[in-house]
Structure formats: C-alpha cells, structure tokens
Amino acid sequence: MSGAGAAAEKAPSRQRAQVKEVNEYKENRNSAYISLTPIESAILGKTPKVYLTPYSLNNYQLGQFKCPKSLLEKNSKNEVACKKTEIKETCKVVLTPSKIKAVSSKTESAVQKTSFSIRMETDKLPSKTPSAVGTPSDDVESSQDGESDEEDTAGLDDFSGLSSYERKRLKNISENANFFASLHLSESAARLREMIKTRKPPEFKRKKPKKKENEIGCRRSMRLLKVDPSGIPLPAAPEQPPVEEDENPLLPPGPLEMTPENREDSNGLFKEFLLTWAEMDKSSSKNNEKTLSGIKSYKAYLNGMAINEDTVCKVTQGAVCSMAFHPSETRILVAAGAKSGQVGLWDLSRCPKEDGVYLFHPHSQPVSCLYFSPANPAHLLSLSYDGTLRCGDFSRAVFEEVYRNESSGFSSFDFLAEDGCTLLVGHWDGSVSLVDRRTPGTSYEKLINSSSRKIRTVHVHPVQRQYFITAGLSDVHIYDARNLKPKSRPLVAVMEHPKSIASAYFSPLTGSRVVTTCADCKLRVFDSSSVCSRMPLLSTVRHNTITGRWLTRFQAVWDPKQEDCFIVGSMAHPRRVEVFHETGKSVHSFFGGECLASVCSINAMHPTRYILAGGNSSGKVHVFMD
C-alpha cells in the first residue's frame, strides 16, 4: 500500500510538470530554434522519448521545425492519457536534418528523398501490459489542420501506413507531374530541334577589295621581268630543243677504248704505265705453298702496318663499292670500283701520289665486283649493275665485253676454274649463269633459278671448286655446279639469318669456314669442312652493320694469307678497320688518327704482302702497309 500511495502522489506532480513544459512550448513555438531538451511524458508508467539531434540549422528556414497545434492541444487536455488502449511498441523517433528514413515496408523508397530521415526503432513490450499510452509520434503524424488533410489525401487509400505529411507530399508530386505533362514540353522541344536542323545558316559573300588605280605594287626583279635597268625589254633568247637526259645511259656494246678521264696523255705517263705491266712478275700472283702463320706472329705483322698522308688518295668520284689488289710483289696497285660506274687504278709507287691515279669509265652503274684474273694479272674483270661484265686488258689498252644481259642486272661473279676461263655470274633476280670466255657471244647459259629472290654475292670453294655459295636476302645456299637444273635444290641451306645478308665467303686456303655479314648487326662463322645437309654455327660476333643509305654496306672478307681471320669495316669512333678471329675474338684494330676520319666500308688485303686497303663513300682509298 505504501508503494501504491507513493505512486499516487508522484502522478499529479508529473502531470503538473508536463503541463508546465507544454505551456513553455506554447510561449516559444514561434521562436527560430528548437530546444534540444527531450520532452518526457509519463502516461500509466510508460515514458516515450523523443530525441531531436540537429545536424546544422544554417541552411534551413525559420519555422521549419514548428510542432503542430494538435500535439499541444492533446497534451494540454490530457486526452491521450485517458484512453485505455494496449500499447505493443515503444516508438523512438530520431530527427536528423540530412534525410528522413522511416522503417516501413510500403514507404521506404518514397521517404528516402526527403530532407530529413526518421529512424524508427521498435522495442516490443510484453503483451500482458494492460496500459494505453499516447505517444508524441501519434501527434507528429497529425497535421495542423486535421480535417483539411483528410480531404486532401482522400485519394491515397493505398498509402494508409504513411503519415499525413507523406501522403500530402506524394499528392503534390503527382499533381506537379500531371501539370508538366499537360504542358507538352517534350513535343515542343522536338519541334524546336527540327526547326534548328532544317534552318540553313545565312550565306555571307565576301566582297573582294577593289584595286586602287594608283596603288604601288610589290618590287619585282628586273632580271625576272627580262628588262634592263633602263626599262627597255631585252630581246628574247633563242629557243633550244629539249634534250632528253638519261641518268644512267647504257654504254654501247663491244670493246671500249681504255682512256683515262682524269688526265691528258700529253706527257706519255699513261703509255709508260702500260709498259710496266709486262715487267711485272706473274709467277707471284698466287703461292699455293704458303702455310698458315701463328696468331702471335700474325698480330706482330699487323701491328707493324701504318698509314700516313702519302697512302691516302682520292681514286674515284663516287662511293667505293668494290676493291682488288694486283698480285704483284714488286709494285703496289689497287683497283677500286665506284658507284658511278668508274674504275680507278692507283699505283702507289708514283710520286706525287696524284700522278699514279688513273680513272676509267667502262660502266654506267655501280661496279659491285672486281677481280684480277688468276691466269693473267694484266686482265682486270669488272661487273656492274647495268648488266655488263667487262675485262680491262692493260696490255692492249681496251675494255672487252665478256657478258651482257640488260634484262637482269648483275650483282657478283667468281672464277669457276683456276685458269679464269669460266665464271659464275649472280643476278639480282635470284638466278646464276655460267660464262665461258673461250667462246664469246654464245658463252653463257642460266644454270639455276634459285629459291632466293635476290643474290648478292657468289663465291667458289677454293679447293673443291665444284661447290659455290650464294648469299640471298635472308638465306645462304651451297650448290654443286656438276649437277644443276633450272630448279635445282641446294645441297646446304642456312636459314639462321633473320634479316638480309650482304655477303658470304669461303675461307681462302681450305674453304672449311664461311663468314657472313647480316643486317641484324651480327657476323657469323659456320663450319663448312664437310659439305653436307647443314653447316653448324661456330661463333657470332656482335658488330654494328647499319650503315644507312649513304654508305656502302659492310662485307666481311677473309685475309688471303690467314685462314682463320677476317676483316670488316666499323662504325665506331674513332674510325677504324677491325680484324677478328674465327672464334669471334678481336685480333687487331687499324687506327689512322687524322688520316682515317671516315668509314671504310669495303676492304681488301694483299694476297702475299701485309698491305690493307679500305675505301669510303667519297672515293678515297686508305692504305695500311709495313
């Protein structure tokens, strides 16, 4: 009983406190802020709580958070407390100014777009609690004008679970949508787009400025106007018939007279030069008994070779494409083939050095291959891109025509027989011809049409002369000249070159090695000791072979005196000519200082003496000698 009496005494005091708070709220309901103190109401022992947590009130208008009048009236008259209804849930409402989130299955998507979020958390009470509680949430749901709200939302019966504010908001959205739909804005916009597309822009014609009569024009050359300084017109120049110029006119067939272009034979120097050919020792043209020198002694010989100003001379007018040494041991004669079709001959025994240079023009296109005849060193054979193969006979001072084929240009040739009577000629179209000098006019026939689209070099085996090797675009083939047909297959095909090949040569004494020069910046040495179906790769030398379009391509060639060493030009600075061993190791580098300041793309070694000659792309020949 004491507990019941205490509860009865506390109830009136709580009601008085609640009425006092409501009266204070009525006085301050028009204020610009909301009190953060929660309003508590005790009804039958149950206390619902309302938490007002404002985030920021700077962006909201005054009067936005006013409570409806119905809530104040109901709290003042204590009508909610008199109702005896069972309460199953205690609602906790949190008002945040960011969003209003109402946990309801029907209105979750609609209420997420509002500027406030209402989070409803329900705590189930025991079902046996026989108490009726009126919560402020019921008051919030009622609008300021209850009757008018019910009339406005009469058509939204499907949203019975929503509050009156939410129902009114949805109604406003639907009315606005119907209003904008009645305006037919989309149709008007479509018509405007069509009008804009069909409308053509106005055409403006630019007016040309009128020329003034007394306007002073720009100054012009009296020479171009063909007027002398006094203003009198010059007489017209006589018309000359147009002359058709051919950049590379073919020379007439047949023998050509051997006349030097760089000098007049007033002093008889050229006749004296021709008489010396008969005095040269022909027996020293080739020494078959020469043995291989040791690598140490070979290096010592190379170290003794030097260059000076007297051993550098301009021999041709264009880039040097081929070189050859005369086999004489008494005199030093160097022959150089030029890109312009010239053949230059330099006698180093003459002083001054310019007197020893003789320049001839037996071809109209680049001379890609030069050889002195092994049987008669007075014969210099030259092959050109223009489809002619000529023999310069210095004993008779004439260039004889050995082979001519204007339909397909020539790339390289070599002597098939040791006496130099028969030759193998390679064509740019990939074919190889056999030429016999003993029967002029009918001295050739095509042996094969190789699978290579091009042939750059042809070289015969020095010992087994029935075999010859060809270097194509990206393959190296070895053929047997004894059994050839138009579509013969090679005995050996080397396909280890990814790019185009510049040259392929057998080693000079035994032919057991083959050196190739490829555009992938590598020099390769193959084992050709036994000609079979394959040639194993022995070594690879990394070497820059990218010379560009203005320099002659590098060609690695063997030293005729040394079986296992080859010579090649270099792009490195300072400029040099390099010698490599077949194992890929560097043997020697020829430096010339100021005397060697350019790239020597084509190089040749004397067959019996330690003399090296290198030609560059300006026609100069650099000679290193002991």
Side-chain angles (χ1 to χ4, degrees):
M1 291 299 291
S2 60
E9 291 177 0
K10 292 180 180 179
S13 61
R14 291 179 179 175
Q15 293 180 359
R16 286 193 297 272
Q18 180 180 3
V19 171
K20 184 178 179 180
E21 292 178 357
V22 171
N23 291 334
E24 292 178 356
Y25 181 78
K26 287 181 178 181
E27 294 175 1
N28 301 326
R29 65 181 180 270
N30 294 325
S31 60
Y33 68 93
I34 297 177
S35 175
L36 301 179
T37 306
I39 301 175
E40 298 183 359
S41 59
I43 302 172
L44 298 180
K46 304 298 179 180
T47 305
K49 297 181 180 181
V50 178
Y51 294 91
L52 301 179
T53 59
Y55 182 74
S56 175
L57 300 180
N58 296 329
N59 300 327
Y60 300 98
Q61 299 178 0
L62 298 177
Q64 188 174 356
F65 298 101
K66 292 181 181 181
C67 296
K69 297 179 180 180
S70 59
L71 178 63
L72 301 176
E73 294 175 358
K74 290 182 181 180
N75 289 336
S76 62
K77 296 179 181 181
N78 294 330
E79 293 178 359
V80 180
C82 298
K83 295 181 181 180
K84 296 181 180 180
T85 58
E86 296 181 358
I87 297 177
K88 297 182 180 181
E89 297 179 353
T90 301
C91 300
K92 187 182 292 184
V93 181
V94 179
L95 299 179
T96 61
S98 61
K99 291 182 181 180
I100 298 177
K101 182 178 180 182
V103 181
S104 175
S105 60
K106 294 183 180 181
T107 63
E108 183 176 359
S109 61
V111 181
Q112 286 180 352
K113 299 180 181 179
T114 59
S115 60
F116 294 91
S117 64
I118 301 176
R119 184 178 59 197
M120 306 291 293
E121 296 182 359
T122 59
D123 299 326
K124 292 186 179 181
L125 299 177
S127 59
K128 295 182 180 180
T129 305
S131 60
V133 180
T135 62
S137 62
D138 298 335
D139 299 333
V140 174
E141 292 178 0
S142 62
S143 62
Q144 295 180 0
D145 299 328
E147 295 179 359
S148 61
D149 294 342
E150 292 177 358
E151 293 177 0
D152 295 340
T153 59
L156 302 174
D157 296 336
D158 296 338
F159 304 97
S160 59
L162 301 177
S163 63
S164 60
Y165 168 76
E166 294 169 349
R167 291 196 297 271
K168 188 173 182 179
R169 177 178 173 277
L170 295 177
K171 180 181 177 183
N172 292 338
I173 292 172
S174 62
E175 290 178 355
N176 293 337
N178 295 333
F179 172 73
F180 284 109
S182 64
L183 296 178
H184 303 288
L185 296 178
S186 60
E187 298 177 359
S188 301
R191 288 195 299 271
L192 289 175
R193 292 192 196 97
E194 293 178 358
M195 293 172 63
I196 292 172
K197 290 180 180 179
T198 55
R199 184 179 180 183
K200 296 182 179 180
E203 297 181 357
F204 296 98
K205 294 184 179 180
R206 185 176 180 180
K207 295 181 180 180
K208 296 182 179 180
K210 296 182 179 180
K211 294 183 178 181
K212 297 181 181 180
E213 296 180 358
N214 298 329
E215 185 178 2
I216 300 174
C218 60
R219 297 179 60 185
R220 299 184 64 183
S221 173
M222 303 289 285
R223 178 180 56 83
L224 296 177
L225 294 175
K226 297 181 179 180
V227 177
D228 62 359
S230 62
I232 301 174
L234 297 175
E239 296 183 359
Q240 297 179 357
V243 179
E244 296 182 0
E245 296 183 358
D246 190 1
E247 295 182 358
N248 299 310
L250 292 177
L251 299 178
L256 299 175
E257 185 180 358
M258 186 179 291
T259 304
E261 293 184 347
N262 59 333
R263 65 177 69 249
E264 295 180 359
D265 195 16
S266 58
N267 299 327
L269 294 178
F270 182 61
K271 292 182 179 179
E272 183 182 354
F273 173 72
L274 294 178
L275 293 175
T276 59
W277 286 83
E279 301 175 0
M280 293 182 186
D281 189 8
K282 300 179 182 179
S283 62
S284 61
S285 61
K286 188 173 183 181
N287 189 357
N288 296 326
E289 298 179 357
K290 191 170 183 62
T291 58
L292 180 65
S293 301
I295 192 65
K296 291 184 179 180
S297 60
Y298 182 67
K299 285 184 177 181
Y301 286 122
L302 297 180
N303 291 330
M305 299 169 61
I307 188 174
N308 52 53
E309 294 181 357
D310 295 334
T311 58
V312 178
C313 185
K314 187 174 180 62
V315 179
T316 62
Q317 299 298 326
V320 176
C321 299
S322 57
M323 295 188 67
F325 264 105
H326 191 275
S328 174
E329 293 185 359
T330 58
R331 302 185 66 175
I332 303 174
L333 294 174
V334 183
K339 186 177 181 180
S340 58
Q342 297 173 339
V343 174
L345 195 63
W346 182 20
D347 185 2
L348 275 76
S349 61
R350 289 284 183 179
C351 187
K353 58 184 178 182
E354 289 79 8
D355 292 342
V357 177
Y358 300 93
L359 186 61
F360 310 99
H361 205 155
H363 301 281
S364 61
Q365 292 185 16
V367 180
S368 59
C369 195
L370 278 176
Y371 283 112
F372 283 95
S373 174
N376 188 358
H379 291 176
L380 176 62
L381 282 82
S382 59
L383 178 140
S384 176
Y385 288 1
D386 60 2
T388 58
L389 175 62
R390 295 184 181 272
C391 175
D393 190 352
F394 289 91
S395 61
R396 296 188 299 117
V398 65
F399 284 100
E400 295 179 350
E401 186 176 279
V402 178
Y403 178 34
R404 187 183 187 94
N405 188 352
E406 298 178 3
S407 60
S408 61
F410 301 153
S411 58
S412 178
F413 83 97
D414 196 8
F415 299 102
L416 184 61
E418 293 184 4
D419 56 1
C421 295
T422 55
L423 300 87
L424 288 175
V425 179
H427 300 252
W428 283 112
D429 60 359
S431 60
V432 178
S433 297
L434 175 63
V435 177
D436 192 347
R437 297 178 61 190
R438 294 168 295 186
T439 57
T442 59
S443 60
Y444 61 89
E445 61 175 332
K446 282 194 175 182
L447 295 178
I448 56 171
N449 293 319
S450 65
S451 58
S452 302
R453 289 176 292 174
K454 287 185 179 181
I455 290 181
R456 296 187 183 274
T457 59
V458 176
H459 196 235
V460 178
H461 197 284
V463 179
Q464 302 175 5
R465 304 195 69 88
Q466 69 273 15
Y467 299 121
F468 65 94
I469 188 170
T470 61
L473 284 180
S474 60
D475 48 10
V476 175
H477 294 163
I478 295 180
Y479 294 92
D480 189 349
R482 297 171 298 181
N483 185 17
L484 289 179
K485 297 178 181 179
K487 295 184 179 180
S488 298
R489 291 186 178 182
L491 298 177
V492 180
V494 180
M495 311 295 292
E496 298 186 14
H497 300 83
K499 294 186 178 181
S500 64
I501 304 171
S503 62
Y505 295 106
F506 285 108
S507 56
L509 300 180
T510 63
S512 60
R513 299 289 184 268
V514 171
V515 60
T516 62
T517 307
C518 185
D520 63 347
C521 295
K522 289 183 180 179
L523 309 176
R524 294 173 174 85
V525 179
F526 297 90
D527 183 7
S528 59
S529 55
S530 61
V531 179
C532 55
S533 60
R534 58 184 299 273
M535 289 193 308
L537 179 64
L538 295 180
S539 62
T540 302
V541 180
R542 185 71 181 177
H543 189 72
N544 185 8
T545 58
I546 307 301
T547 55
R549 60 177 299 185
W550 304 113
L551 300 180
T552 309
R553 295 185 66 177
F554 289 151
Q555 291 186 3
V557 295
W558 297 96
D559 186 349
K561 305 177 296 298
Q562 194 72 15
E563 172 72 13
D564 53 357
C565 293
F566 56 89
I567 305 156
V568 66
S570 177
M571 296 289 293
H573 290 275
R575 299 306 186 189
R576 67 196 72 174
V577 178
E578 297 180 298
V579 181
F580 291 96
H581 192 259
E582 64 178 15
T583 57
K585 296 181 180 180
S586 177
V587 177
H588 185 74
S589 295
F590 292 97
F591 295 96
E594 296 180 357
C595 296
L596 181 62
S598 59
V599 178
C600 292
S601 301
I602 304 299
N603 301 275
M605 285 288 287
H606 196 278
T608 57
R609 298 178 59 179
Y610 284 92
I611 303 175
L612 169 67
N616 63 8
S617 294
S618 63
K620 283 187 177 182
V621 175
H622 306 75
V623 177
F624 293 82
M625 55 190 303
D626 50 1

